[in-house]
Amino acid sequence: MTTTTILGAGLAGLTTAMMLHRDGHEVTVLERDPAAPADRPWDDWDRPGVSQFRLPHYLLPRWWAELRAELPDAAAAVQAAGATVVNPLAALPSDIRGPDRDGDDRFATVTARRPVLEAALASAATAAGVGIRRGVRVTGVRTDGHLPVPRVTGVTTTGGTVSADLVIDCGGRRSALPAWLAAAGARPVAEERSDAGFVYYARHFRSPHGRLPEIRSMLIQPYDSLSVLTLPADHGVWSVVLTTSGRDKALRALREPAVWSAAVGRYPAAAAWLDAEPITGVDVMAGLEDRLRRYVVDGRPVATGVVAVGDAWACTNPSLGRGASFAIIHARVLRDVLREVGVADHDKLVRRFDEATAQVVEPLYRATNFVDTHRLAEIEGDVSGVPYRPDDLRWLASKALFAAALRDPAALRGYLSISSFLDTPDEVFATPGLRDRVLALGLSAPQYPLPGPSRAELLDAVAGGTR
């Protein structure tokens, strides 16, 4: 039996732990934060180690499909905890989505606030027999001392050492694994890093009658100078997020609730989401980055006996809601590699996991980074008054698909299958006849086809909210 130590009891750590435990591995999860999930996790559970713990979350249909297929007991626990079942296609008005079609149920998902979701997964993991040790602060890795490629044999903590056949870093965006490996004499990891450049201004609301607002458009809506996210959660709670450029000083006043509300009220597809009790102020998140780390450099592992999963490997702009899906897909990749290569062949295991990650997960990261880069440039063009006019045909095609999705049910399903992480753009545009429909309907559409304020009108709303 393989002794596996997982660092971090977040979404990535818990799903990875349950998958490996089901395969017969002995799994222990080490979590720095001491508090266990509370009966009322939103109100009473504090997780200072997760910066986005109380910020909006949304779970894509791909995540829900993976969870149901791989961890049905965990899926049942999430639903039992009160997560909202939502189908972003079926929720749209019938004149937009058209008649129901076979396969429309693939867009169904569940969604919940992060504390509610994580508490449900932790309960499922504990029920399955996964050991979770909370309040354990990892300070480094223990190795066999062989250089230049040490083998990690466990971790050091403030309470002693923990041995393991395999250490799995699920420590998220703040992972310190590269520094720990460097301290052990390993070569540097290869890292790609760029400032995502976005700022998020978010509020949570609670319905007075337990029902969600009417969904009138896509949950992520691009407009002049910003994007709006309207995200269902659990127990009659939802969130609304405004995503701007970090360089847009004129919109920094959105951190004030009156200003934020005045701005959101100018967007017809989002204004109805304000008609409820706010249960938070305006939560601001900034300073995020797109980052990818590779632990096989120039054909050789930096270290063996250790791998990184989810955000600890690569993290992206959270407004697309892809982090949880990345993590569960990556966990499945690791589970499958461990079935193929045992931990005793530690060098081959790390190499094969790197190969499988590059084949399965990295293309998803690249696609997300592609959207981040173009959308940020587009927003900054709005701010500067110099329209963004790239030559990248893929970006133009994605813009045309969004516009066409507002007018054509087939294009809508294509757009949602991409944004739901169910299909790739290449797979969608290979649908017979779809490319021609998208070009005909989308290429001549306005840059922002949804009704909303211009840059000047948005600034007027912000100025009015400060009075």
Side-chain angles (χ1 to χ4, degrees), residues 324-345:
S325 298
F326 274 133
I328 198 168
I329 294 168
H330 209 186
R332 174 171 51 78
V333 168
L334 176 60
R335 189 273 316 273
D336 292 347
V337 168
L338 282 169
R339 288 175 174 176
E340 174 188 341
V341 182
V343 294
D345 197 345

Side-chain angles (χ1 to χ4, degrees), residues 10-16 18-19 50 52 56-68 70-71 78 109-114 117-118 121 170 172-173 309-333 361 364 368 419-421:
L11 305 189
L14 293 170
T15 51
T16 302
M18 285 186 280
M19 280 196 199
V50 181
Q52 68 273 31
H57 276 69
Y58 182 71
L59 300 165
L60 297 177
R62 176 66 180 272
W63 180 87
W64 183 230
E66 294 275 352
L67 190 74
R68 285 182 296 167
E70 303 294 345
L71 299 169
V78 169
T109 187
V110 296
T111 188
R113 289 166 289 176
R114 172 67 180 263
L117 172 65
E118 191 173 305
L121 291 177
C170 294
R173 293 173 178 270
V309 170
D311 279 357
W313 165 73
C315 53
T316 62
N317 165 21
S319 71
L320 298 180
R322 295 178 173 181
S325 298
F326 274 133
I328 198 168
I329 294 168
H330 209 186
R332 174 171 51 78
V333 168
V361 195
L364 305 177
T368 305
S419 61
S420 299
F421 242 22

Side-chain angles (χ1 to χ4, degrees), residues 254-270:
L254 291 171
R255 66 182 62 244
E256 301 297 332
V259 177
W260 185 93
S261 295
V264 174
R266 300 298 296 270
Y267 298 94

